[in-house]
């Protein structure tokens, strides 16, 4: 079946950095699965977080990108990771909170490769949010 790559994120302010993440992740194997974080979960644990798109809209947008083979929903990265079938977990260098640390540990204990994909310089969702405030 080939090598399956999994990456996770919110993808609310979809931008070129996300597209390049998907491209680089896909280059690591044969199939790319992108897990999009549930908006209800985000609001539950980070109340008031501004979201532009619903969970369904974000999943749809990600699904239209040619590098992406499948889109799935996740809530907690460390709790949900074991439910997905994958060989390589591709993550960003900024995905370091405790949940990601536990997810990486689970990968190591279960024979999954972890690859950190560098950020695209000069772009981020935070930067886009700030830019949109000045327009």
């Amino acid at each position: 079946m080939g090598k399956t790559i999994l990456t996770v994120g919110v993808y609310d302010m979809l931008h070129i950095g996300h597209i390049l993440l998907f491209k680089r992740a896909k280059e690591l194997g044969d199939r790319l699965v992108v897990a999009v974080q549930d908006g209800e979960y985000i609001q539950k644990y980070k109340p008031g977080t501004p979201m532009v798109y619903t969970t369904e809209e974000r999943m749809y947008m990600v699904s239209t990108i040619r590098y992406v083979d499948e889109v799935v929903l996740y809530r907690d990265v460390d709790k949900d990771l074991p439910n997905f079938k994958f060989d390589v977990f591709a993550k960003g260098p900024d995905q370091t909170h405790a949940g990601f640390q536990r997810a990486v540990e689970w990968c190591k204990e279960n024979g999954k490769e972890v690859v950190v994909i560098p950020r695209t310089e000069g772009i981020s969702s935070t930067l886009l949010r700030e830019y949109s405030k000045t327009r």
Side-chain angles (χ1 to χ4, degrees):
M1 177 162 161
K3 192 184 281 189
T4 298
I5 314 306
L6 173 70
T7 193
V8 304
V10 175
Y11 311 115
D12 189 41
M13 304 275 295
L14 198 60
H15 56 71
I16 188 68
H18 294 132
I19 307 302
L20 292 173
L21 164 71
F22 299 151
K23 179 181 185 293
R24 292 173 184 143
K26 178 70 177 240
E27 290 169 351
L28 298 171
D30 305 295
R31 201 165 164 272
L32 176 61
V33 177
V34 177
V36 173
Q37 193 168 32
D38 185 342
E40 286 182 21
Y41 178 84
I42 295 166
Q43 292 303 318
K44 181 177 177 183
Y45 289 95
K46 294 181 182 177
T49 299
M51 298 293 292
V52 176
Y53 297 103
T54 67
T55 302
E56 294 74 20
E57 289 168 333
R58 291 181 288 118
M59 291 180 75
Y60 173 73
M61 288 189 300
V62 170
S63 77
T64 66
I65 296 165
R66 71 179 179 169
Y67 306 109
V68 177
D69 296 295
E70 183 181 356
V71 177
V72 296
L73 185 67
Y74 86 100
R75 296 170 73 80
D76 268 322
V77 66
D78 55 324
K79 293 179 182 135
D80 292 342
L81 210 65
N83 300 324
F84 303 125
K85 292 187 180 190
F86 67 98
D87 303 294
V88 179
F89 180 43
K91 67 179 216 62
D94 57 336
Q95 292 176 315
T96 57
H97 68 66
F100 275 95
Q101 292 172 23
R102 288 189 295 271
V104 166
E105 193 56 38
W106 181 89
C107 287
K108 290 177 182 174
E109 291 168 359
N110 289 275
K112 310 294 183 185
E113 185 180 352
V114 177
V115 175
V116 176
I117 297 183
R119 293 187 63 82
T120 301
E121 292 300 317
I123 187 71
S124 71
S125 298
T126 303
L127 229 129
L128 287 177
R129 275 186 174 62
E130 290 303 313
Y131 176 77
S132 69
K133 289 177 187 175
T134 65
R135 302 292 292 160

